[in-house]
Amino acid sequence: MALGSPVKVVLGSIAFGIFWIMAVFPSVPCLPIGRTAGSLLGAMLMVIFMVLTPEEAYHAIDLPILGLLFGTMVVSVYLERADMFMYLGKLLSWKSKGAKDLLCRICLISAVSSALFTNDTACVVLTEFVLKVARQHNLPPHPFLLALATSSNIGSAATPIGNPQNLVIAVLSKITFGQFLVGVLPATLLGVSVNAVLLLCMYWKPLSIKKQEEDPIVGAAAEEAVNSHRFSPATLSHISSLNSQDWSSKLENLNVQSSPNLTANAGGSSSGAEQSLRTRLSSSENEINGAVTEALTPKNKEVAIEVTSIHHKKDDSIHSVHSLHSIHHKKEDSVQSIHSVHHKKEDSVQSIHSVHSNRVASVDGLSDNEASLKSVEGNKGKRVILSPKWRRLLWKTCVYLVTVGMLVALLLGLDMSWTAITAALALVVLDFQDAQHCLEKVSYSLLIFFCGMFITVEGFNKTGIPGTLWDLIEPFAQINRVSGITVLALVIIALSNLASNVPTVLCWEEEWRHRSSISPEEERKAWLMLAYVSTVGGNLSLLGSAANLIV
């Protein structure tokens, strides 16, 4: 592409320069408005300076890339809720055999997680875990943080969803997920291995020092912090809350506390039956008490009358003897009647205690973590409800299955943008509650940043500067020669660290797609090399990758 008019070149360069400054240094003293507002400012200046028309600006926004970004962020939010990242953090210290083993494990886990959930998400999630594990084992954190940042960048190059520039390359080049993975995976595995070896060589001595005796209280607190930490990857911030076990126990405790009223609200026949039985037992107890009173009072009165009769009729000794015998027999009958009534009363009290203990046992059975089902008998029949523990386990299984299904669909070559959006909406429906809380965690500022960047870079391409630079480099950067690959890689690394990798890809994508001098196979190879080199090149400087800044 030829250079535009001098006015367009100058004004377009000014707008792109402002965008670049705000993207690399978002808090400059003269204009501390941040990256997102800086990208919108650059886009607005491109339209105001008439480098682009409003229609061209709207057309420059790539909706498939935005849809893919949005879908992957929503899936990451639900994976965070399903404790996926907590399990990844636990893998860091599970049966660790020392500092060197921990460093190699961080390299592997961060590379895999960044390939599946983007490098920014992996760094946000795992940085806190790495710090806490290092603190728990009294180890210096710097080697592990470098391993996390560098391996996340390298691992993210393996898939189209590993980082933003890969998303752009996959959508623009029409390379399928499987082709991308097969083409870049060998270089990624080699890069992660070499990175681990270099870090071990650099920090062999600090990692060889045996850890000091650890305070058991501090160690237990650190381990609890690692196990209980929760994150919100999409918003690049973390949330400290209960882990899954605490959450399940809280739900079950609430269930036990509300269980006496549960059946009354949801059917009520079981509680009503217990209340009716308690009423009948209470009335029976009252009847027993009445019988005791009736049994005692007449007998005592009769005994008293007979005793008085004996005192008044002292002269008649035979009659007195017969009366005394009669009184004795009646007294024994009365005592037997009293004992019988007491036994009946004790049996009824035991029956009440038995009903109460059965009810308590049934409630305790419902609250047991090992119980899998609750039976609630209603007026219209019996229904079975899963306990909170099993409901959460079923939901987490569905989240993992949907995520695996999304990856399989991507490997089969389905449209990446609509596949990610479909998986995100499937998780929203399976959650079966208001999705506002999860959707609020999506980084909409990143989506807006991409919109402004698309417009700004399109305006910069209209000036003709990227095409002119490519015309100068192309004779020395042929993809079919080793020297050409070397020159092209060095140029990409330099531009990725100066202008950031995503703008570098967007600036040259038009030139690469319209070159007829290379075959389709060579073109795909060039795109894959651009993805790998621009991603791995971000490890050379702190500003070369957003993941580095996060760590």
Side-chain angles (χ1 to χ4, degrees), residues 11 15 40-54:
L11 294 179
L40 292 178
L41 177 60
M44 182 193 69
L45 291 177
M46 286 293 183
V47 176
I48 291 177
F49 294 159
M50 292 185 291
V51 179
L52 290 175
T53 64

Side-chain angles (χ1 to χ4, degrees), residues 145-189:
L145 292 177
L146 284 176
L148 173 61
T150 54
S151 296
S152 295
N153 286 328
I154 297 172
S156 67
T159 62
I161 60 175
N163 53 60
Q165 62 268 20
N166 283 13
L167 295 176
V168 174
I169 291 173
V171 172
L172 297 179
S173 64
K174 309 299 181 184
I175 300 177
T176 64
F177 190 95
Q179 291 174 339
F180 202 107
L181 181 63
V182 172
V184 183
L185 184 60
T188 300
L189 294 177

Side-chain angles (χ1 to χ4, degrees), residues 192-268:
V192 173
S193 302
V194 172
N195 183 57
V197 171
L198 289 176
L199 290 172
L200 286 174
C201 294
M202 291 170 58
Y203 295 99
W204 185 268
K205 186 175 180 180
L207 296 177
S208 299
I209 299 176
K210 293 183 179 180
K211 66 175 183 178
Q212 301 174 355
E213 190 66 26
E214 182 179 302
D215 188 354
I217 299 178
V218 176
E223 183 175 3
E224 177 65 22
V226 170
N227 294 336
S228 63
H229 204 84
R230 295 290 294 278
F231 301 89
S232 297
T235 56
L236 306 184
S237 62
H238 67 272
I239 298 175
S240 299
S241 61
L242 298 173
N243 57 16
S244 58
Q245 290 81 5
D246 294 337
W247 183 244
S248 299
S249 62
K250 291 288 184 182
L251 290 177
E252 291 174 0
N253 290 335
L254 291 174
N255 181 44
V256 170
Q257 293 174 2
S258 61
S259 58
N261 298 326
L262 176 62
T263 53
N265 294 332

